[in-house]
Amino acid sequence: MKSTPVRDQVKDHLLTPKNAVLVIIDYQPPQIITTVSMDRQTLIGNMRALIKTAKAFDVPIVLSTVNTINGRNPDTIPQLKELLAGVPSIDRTSINAWEDEEFYQAIKATKRKKLIIAALWTDACLLFPTMDAIKEGYEVFPVVDCVGANSIEGHKAALQRMVHAGAQPVGWNSVACELQRDWGRHETVTGFMEAVKEQGHGWGWFISVSQEIEEYHNYKGASAMQVQGTQPPH
């Protein structure tokens, strides 16, 4: 088995750790609680996996909240905030993050043109910056299993509008596999697998169960007890 040489990770047409940035917008309690288009716990679990994936591949992260400094909204939910230590949070008043100067400059500062974006809600804080970014020549990849809206209809309509404008919908697992690309790139396999196993759905459950079965068959407890002069219970 021999893989082809690693392509230029800056110029590659696919997502790579060197040409992409993860954009996270408004994962705050009011937005989470009022999302009804998908199960909220699944959404949070998927977002944790997406963030852990980005960190495993050293993909830069731009994080934003709305109306936190002025006291109207709480900060990013703790389940995600704990994974984002060291990532500055850009607070704004604009519904469209692209119309906030600090956010806009943070995106430009990454010098990356592929935006992996997750935001709440789909039909507002995801839709608007996606449309603006595409207009300015960015490639935008909305992570559809990490986002939601106040209604299923609104969620679907917003995704359709983005796709018509040129957005490229992805799932968090697709992002992870696209960044990894080759199991022979050993330096990122562990981080990738940790994200998959923690998420626990899809194929993550299979990996966890397989490891548990292997550990069971390799268990040395009985032998250890016999060495100590005791017998296992019958």
Side-chain angles (χ1 to χ4, degrees):
M1 296 180 291
K2 184 177 181 180
S3 300
T4 58
V6 177
R7 302 200 294 240
D8 186 321
Q9 292 206 8
V10 174
K11 297 180 180 179
D12 199 333
H13 69 103
L14 297 179
L15 294 169
T16 78
K18 301 297 184 183
N19 67 15
V21 55
L22 174 60
V23 182
I24 302 172
I25 302 174
D26 299 353
Y27 283 79
Q28 300 163 254
Q31 287 83 350
I32 294 284
I33 292 169
T34 54
T35 293
V36 301
S37 58
M38 75 173 293
D39 178 77
R40 290 185 285 271
Q41 289 304 315
T42 300
L43 182 149
I44 293 170
N46 291 349
M47 273 302 299
R48 284 183 59 88
L50 182 64
I51 293 168
K52 293 189 75 171
T53 296
K55 294 179 69 176
F57 290 92
D58 290 325
V59 173
I61 300 174
V62 175
L63 171 67
S64 183
T65 55
V66 64
N67 284 332
T68 296
I69 293 176
N70 61 23
R72 293 182 182 177
N73 283 334
D75 200 357
T76 301
I77 60 171
Q79 296 96 316
L80 305 185
K81 191 73 172 179
E82 68 179 6
L83 300 178
L84 295 166
V87 178
S89 184
I90 301 167
D91 195 51
R92 32 171 247 287
T93 58
S94 60
I95 295 175
N96 180 3
W98 207 259
E99 295 182 275
D100 181 85
E101 184 65 27
E102 187 178 356
F103 176 89
Y104 181 70
Q105 292 301 327
I107 296 292
K108 289 184 66 177
T110 67
K111 298 182 180 180
R112 300 183 178 209
K113 302 295 286 187
K114 297 182 188 292
L115 309 184
I116 304 166
I117 186 169
L120 296 178
W121 304 294
T122 316
D123 52 355
C125 297
L126 176 63
L127 174 62
F128 303 149
T130 293
M131 300 289 283
D132 273 345
I134 291 171
K135 189 75 172 179
E136 292 196 25
Y138 288 84
E139 293 182 73
V140 185
F141 302 81
V143 189
V144 295
D145 52 2
C146 290
V147 300
N150 303 144
S151 70
I152 295 174
E153 295 79 6
H155 171 75
K156 290 181 177 179
L159 287 177
Q160 288 177 352
R161 186 177 174 190
M162 285 182 261
V163 169
H164 288 161
Q168 304 174 58
V170 293
W172 80 264
N173 183 64
S174 175
V175 171
C177 290
E178 196 163 339
L179 293 174
Q180 179 64 43
R181 204 81 64 83
D182 188 332
W183 293 115
R185 302 176 188 179
H186 304 292
E187 65 276 6
T188 51
V189 169
T190 298
F192 176 20
M193 296 306 297
E194 285 179 356
V196 169
K197 287 189 292 185
E198 183 193 299
Q199 193 266 355
H201 298 290
W203 56 294
W205 72 269
F206 174 78
I207 299 298
S208 297
V209 169
S210 298
Q211 289 182 337
E212 290 174 2
I213 292 173
E214 183 178 357
E215 290 172 2
Y216 172 80
H217 286 298
N218 292 331
Y219 181 57
K220 304 299 183 183
S223 298
M225 285 188 287
Q226 290 171 348
V227 168
Q228 295 170 3
T230 60
Q231 296 294 323
H234 296 287

